Amino acid sequence: MDLGIKGKWALVCGASKGLGLGCAQALAAEGVNVVLVARGAAALDAAVAALREAAPGVSVLGVAADITTPEGRAAALAVAGGPGTAFDILVNNAGGPPPGDFRAWERDEWIKALDANMLTPIELLKALVDGMAQRGFGRVVNITSGAVKAPIDILGLSNGARSGLTGFVAGVARSPLAGKGVTVNNLLPGAFDTDRLRVTMEGAASKTGRDVEAIADARRKTIPAQRFGTPQEFGAICAFLCSVHAGYITGQNVLADGGAYPGTF
Ligand SMILES: NC(=O)c1ccc[n+]([C@@H]2O[C@H](COP(=O)([O-])OP(=O)(O)OC[C@H]3O[C@@H](n4cnc5c(N)ncnc54)[C@H](OP(=O)(O)O)[C@@H]3O)[C@@H](O)[C@H]2O)c1
């Protein structure tokens, strides 16, 4: 299926690895020009080089910046999709907040989580959607988490901040932007095989003294699909949500979790 977005420009945040990189790869494979943002320059440069090789017909640019800071966002937005153009697609993503006990979190921890997982996506959306609406096409996909539907107690910072974003998106997606070709959706990962998941499992292994593969196996068995998702699968869903075919999907929370969420709705 031709997704109909060849030649568009996408800003993909948190894109040197994992789910963000999966989204950037899938979009570039559809002929979308992509600007990748991540903090670490080495992994970012490697991702940009690999993507240029894989998708020679598109422009691939990297911005080494912390997207959760005003300076980082300014640097990313300054690229503005290249001369004479602007971003048609925004994929919001950044690292998730650390786990812990809510009794230990003070205002600073909450502000950090809100900045990263709620206010940064809102700031970027604010900067880009009116231009998208003027041009009659726009796609915003926020990478959130399955924890928005089924919260995990030790991830209270994530549950809270991402639910705030989810409530905001539910409203803005149904605003007059919807009549101007701009869709806003959230894509909710369950367990995907990325660095983040591996680090979490290594942490559990060192805490419990169990073998990391045994921990991974036990986790896979809790998922009806009996496996972790891949960044490529995640990217393909993101690219579809950004396609011309998904113009009637807005304000939705699309869960990709191999059936892990047990509810009917
Ligand atoms: N993987 C899963 O199973 C899973 C499940 C539920 C939710 N999630 C959520 O999905 C998101 C992506 O997860 P992932 O598994 O793809 O993580 P990952 O493999 O650790 O990749 C995260 C990417 O984001 C970049 N990044 C992190 N913080 C950033 C910042 N402040 N500014 C710019 N770039 C930043 C990282 O590069 P730098 O570190 O160099 O900046 C890296 O490229 C996270 O919010 C995570 O909590 C993941």
Side-chain angles (χ1 to χ4, degrees), residues 159-176:
N159 301 336
R162 295 190 203 273
S163 295
L165 175 65
T166 304
F168 169 79
V169 164
V172 79
R174 293 165 175 89
S175 75

Side-chain angles (χ1 to χ4, degrees), residues 5 8-11 27 32 87-91 132 139 242:
I5 46 178
K8 303 278 189 204
W9 277 88
L11 176 61
L27 289 167
V32 175
F87 292 113
D88 311 291
I89 293 168
L90 166 64
V91 179
M132 292 174 179
R139 298 285 184 264
C242 295

Side-chain angles (χ1 to χ4, degrees), residues 13-21 37-41 43-44 65-69 93-97 116-117 143-147 158 162 188-197 219 234:
C13 306
S16 66
K17 296 178 194 166
L19 304 180
L21 178 57
V37 187
R39 292 164 304 180
L44 180 65
D66 183 341
I67 201 67
T68 67
T69 64
N93 181 36
N117 298 109
I143 299 180
T144 64
S145 172
S158 170
R162 295 190 203 273
L188 286 56
F192 277 81
D193 190 6
T194 65
D195 277 9
R196 180 179 164 94
L197 188 71
R219 178 85 193 268
F234 191 86

